[in-house]
């Protein structure tokens, strides 16, 4: 996602935002450990029924309906704690979404992602602009965008 966001900034080519969006909805959100599942590698290395869970899995989902419950970069820490690089990398992904969803350009404001919520930004002339998006996208194709500029 970071690569696609950077390529979008360099080229302004919408294909990179399309790839960013597909990665976000199809892979990133699929890697969230919503059920508190303990990764396979933890079971293998710890002889306990449910020692812990981490917030993200590696490379998930591999195919529709098939999750890879594995933590890459798995490390044992002091005091029986564990860590995986997925946690750190995924945290960076969380920040990429709002940083990429609305951008400013020399000739206007660029809305890259249809995320429900409110964004406050500035027009190229420096006037405040509030953007409110009401949607259930991507599960529903309806998107309502309300622009409230400080000045016409």
């Amino acid at each position: 996602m970071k690569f696609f966001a950077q390529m979008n900034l360099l080229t302004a080519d919408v294909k990179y935002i399309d790839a960013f969006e597909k990665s976000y909805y199809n892979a990133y959100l699929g890697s969230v450990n919503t059920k508190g599942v303990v990764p396979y590698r933890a079971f293998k290395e710890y002889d306990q029924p449910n020692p812990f869970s981490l917030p993200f899995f590696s490379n998930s989902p591999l195919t529709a309906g098939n999750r890879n419950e594995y933590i890459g970069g798995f490390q044992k820490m002091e005091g029986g704690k564990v860590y995986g690089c997925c946690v750190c990398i995924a945290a960076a992904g969380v920040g990429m979404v709002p940083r990429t969803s609305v951008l400013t350009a020399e000739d206007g404001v660029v809305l890259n992602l249809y995320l429900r919520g409110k964004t406050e930004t500035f027009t190229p002339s420096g006037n405040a602009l509030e953007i409110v998006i009401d949607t259930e996208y991507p599960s529903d194709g309806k998107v309502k965008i309300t622009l409230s500029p400080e000045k016409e």
Side-chain angles (χ1 to χ4, degrees), residues 1-2 5 20 24 28 56 88-101 113 115:
M1 288 172 44
K2 188 175 181 180
F20 180 96
Y24 174 63
Y28 183 78
F56 293 94
C88 179
I89 294 168
V94 169
M96 292 301 304
V97 175
R99 289 187 64 182
T100 304
S101 64
L113 302 171
L115 303 175

Side-chain angles (χ1 to χ4, degrees), residues 6-74:
Q6 189 63 37
M7 289 301 294
N8 174 64
L9 291 175
L10 292 171
T11 68
D13 190 329
V14 71
K15 72 181 178 187
Y16 295 112
I17 288 301
D18 289 343
F20 180 96
E21 181 180 45
K22 287 176 185 174
S23 295
Y24 174 63
Y25 287 118
N26 296 323
Y28 183 78
L29 292 179
S31 71
V32 177
N33 184 0
T34 59
K35 296 180 182 176
V37 174
V38 177
Y40 170 76
R41 190 166 175 185
F43 274 134
K44 189 176 175 183
E45 295 189 20
Y46 287 86
D47 189 22
Q48 299 175 24
N50 188 5
F52 52 84
S53 65
L54 292 173
F56 293 94
F57 292 125
S58 268
N59 307 314
S60 295
L62 299 178
T63 58
N66 183 16
R67 293 174 60 92
N68 176 17
E69 296 171 355
Y70 181 81
I71 299 295
F74 185 83

Side-chain angles (χ1 to χ4, degrees), residues 129-147:
L129 173 65
E130 179 183 89
I131 303 170
V132 177
I133 302 173
D134 185 18
T135 187
E136 294 295 324
Y137 184 85
S139 61
D140 182 344
K142 297 177 187 173
V143 179
K144 179 183 176 186
I145 301 170
T146 305
L147 302 176

